[in-house]
Amino acid sequence: MSQIRKIRYRLFAWRHFPELKPAQEPIDVVIPLVAKDLRIFPLCLEGIRHCVPHPIKDIYIVAPPQDEVKQFCQDNGLVFVDESTVFGFNPKEINLKVNWSDGTVKDRSGWFFQQLLKLSGNVGTCRYYLCIDADHVLIRPHVFLTEDRKTVFYLTYEYHQPIIDHLHRFLPDLELDNLSYVDHKMLFDKEQLKQLHEVITRQTGKPWLQAAIESYDRSLATPSAFSEFEIYGNFVKDKVRRPWLQKRLPYKKLADYETLCKRWSGSRWSLTFPDYMRQNQQMLKEEGDSL
């Protein structure tokens, strides 16, 4: 299935797309992160300020009360939000620990919490808010809301069967796209989210947050069996679809923002520096040092 998606994506990406005119509706930006993300996040922040063509009212950083994060927010004019105030509990209280197939146990509580946060609509004052991963860097302009108020989604070829299985269980009436919405960034509309919450409550008989938490199959030996981007992207019907055109890079490719734009913006619209690639790079270095 992943190969089929890649073919579909390539055919989709090769199409000619008309230029989109951005709405001048003010938006907020909401970014969950922790202190370790601050190595890449300054690049992410530059990308937002250079490549988001909508008026940005405020940029909210939702994080644990770490001194480094608070200081960064103060120095850069960002609004700090203690993550425990969003729902009235902190990520650890979700207590999502996954038994991986290699026998190790991974705590995925923080990962799950930030997805619920994006679906909540509880942060910011604008109707629309952009969520973007702290390791994702925009290097070309991205329109997220058109003049006629259609949300723009950037689709990918990603495919992870446990996420698809979860969608079928959680919202069985949801019609799924033949591409993926897991693209590291998404504009959320609080009015659409209100409708989504009502659908979840109607179908499960529970408040949306409780239903979402209880929907995660903790018996699965996989770190990822839930996707806020897939849920919301597939739920919204009146939308504009575009290819994501991004490049995943290891930490050794890090450079200043201007250099990254010059090097990659001819063929890509965004870059991602995943933490797992940094960890793998560090492990390889440690293994080499031990030889």
Side-chain angles (χ1 to χ4, degrees):
M1 179 61 76
S2 60
Q3 290 301 318
I4 294 175
R5 281 215 177 190
K6 286 182 179 180
I7 294 171
R8 286 174 178 162
Y9 174 78
R10 291 192 184 104
L11 293 173
F12 175 59
W14 284 340
R15 290 169 49 190
H16 170 72
F17 295 97
E19 182 179 354
L20 298 173
K21 294 184 178 181
Q24 291 308 300
E25 174 96 11
I27 68 170
D28 286 320
V29 178
V30 178
I31 304 173
L33 55 74
V34 293
K36 69 178 179 63
D37 297 323
L38 293 179
R39 181 174 179 186
I40 305 297
F41 183 60
L43 292 171
C44 173
L45 191 58
E46 284 198 73
I48 292 168
R49 288 174 168 162
H50 282 88
C51 298
V52 176
H54 310 287
I56 296 176
K57 186 174 183 295
D58 289 298
I59 299 177
Y60 294 86
I61 303 303
V62 185
Q66 298 168 310
D67 290 341
E68 313 95 295
V69 176
K70 289 182 176 180
Q71 188 62 53
F72 186 89
C73 290
Q74 183 177 331
D75 293 343
N76 291 274
L78 313 177
V79 182
F80 172 79
V81 178
D82 186 329
E83 63 185 12
S84 65
T85 66
V86 177
F87 297 121
F89 58 84
N90 63 49
K92 290 183 179 179
E93 293 178 65
I94 295 178
N95 193 32
L96 176 59
K97 295 181 179 178
V98 179
N99 296 308
W100 281 17
S101 56
D102 63 2
T104 59
V105 178
K106 302 290 185 181
D107 191 331
R108 301 289 281 170
S109 303
W111 166 84
F112 195 19
F113 183 92
Q114 58 91 14
Q115 296 198 59
L116 299 172
L117 161 70
K118 294 173 190 175
L119 288 173
S120 72
N122 287 354
V123 180
T125 59
C126 294
R127 171 178 171 176
Y128 298 95
Y129 62 95
L130 173 66
C131 289
I132 184 168
D133 293 347
D135 60 0
H136 192 63
V137 184
L138 306 180
I139 56 174
R140 290 181 63 180
H142 282 63
V143 173
F144 291 98
L145 187 68
T146 64
E147 283 186 320
D148 55 353
R149 290 202 175 198
K150 290 184 179 180
T151 304
V152 182
F153 293 91
Y154 293 88
L155 281 81
T156 82
Y157 54 79
E158 297 291 323
Y159 183 84
H160 189 53
Q161 189 62 48
I163 289 176
I164 303 301
D165 293 342
H166 171 266
L167 286 170
H168 287 314
R169 291 194 311 271
F170 187 44
L171 294 171
D173 296 333
L174 191 64
E175 184 177 348
L176 303 186
D177 204 307
N178 59 15
L179 291 173
S180 172
Y181 290 86
V182 181
D183 69 336
H184 304 290
K185 56 191 172 291
M186 186 167 285
L187 185 77
F188 291 88
D189 175 0
K190 291 180 180 178
E191 294 298 318
Q192 289 277 357
L193 282 171
K194 181 179 178 181
Q195 295 176 31
L196 173 60
H197 296 168
E198 290 172 350
V199 168
I200 293 172
T201 297
R202 186 166 61 250
Q203 292 193 11
T204 65
K206 301 173 183 177
W208 82 268
L209 181 60
Q210 178 186 349
I213 293 173
E214 292 180 359
S215 73
Y216 195 99
D217 186 349
R218 295 173 181 243
S219 68
L220 295 175
T222 175
S224 306
F226 186 98
S227 172
E228 80 285 35
F229 288 163
E230 292 286 24
I231 291 171
Y232 184 75
N234 281 288
F235 178 77
V236 176
K237 300 307 177 188
D238 192 16
K239 58 194 171 189
V240 176
R241 301 160 81 248
R242 288 291 186 271
W244 69 334
L245 298 174
Q246 80 107 33
K247 178 74 173 177
R248 184 173 59 242
L249 295 173
Y251 272 46
K252 65 182 180 180
K253 298 287 188 179
L254 274 172
D256 62 81
Y257 184 74
E258 184 178 356
T259 299
L260 291 173
C261 289
K262 287 181 179 178
R263 187 174 298 165
W264 297 106
S265 63
S267 60
R268 295 292 186 269
W269 285 24
S270 58
L271 306 172
T272 304
F273 294 89
D275 187 61
Y276 73 83
M277 294 184 76
R278 178 193 62 80
Q279 294 174 0
N280 290 345
Q281 184 176 321
Q282 181 62 31
M283 284 190 292
L284 288 173
K285 180 180 182 303
E286 291 173 355
E287 289 174 1
D289 292 343
S290 66
L291 294 176

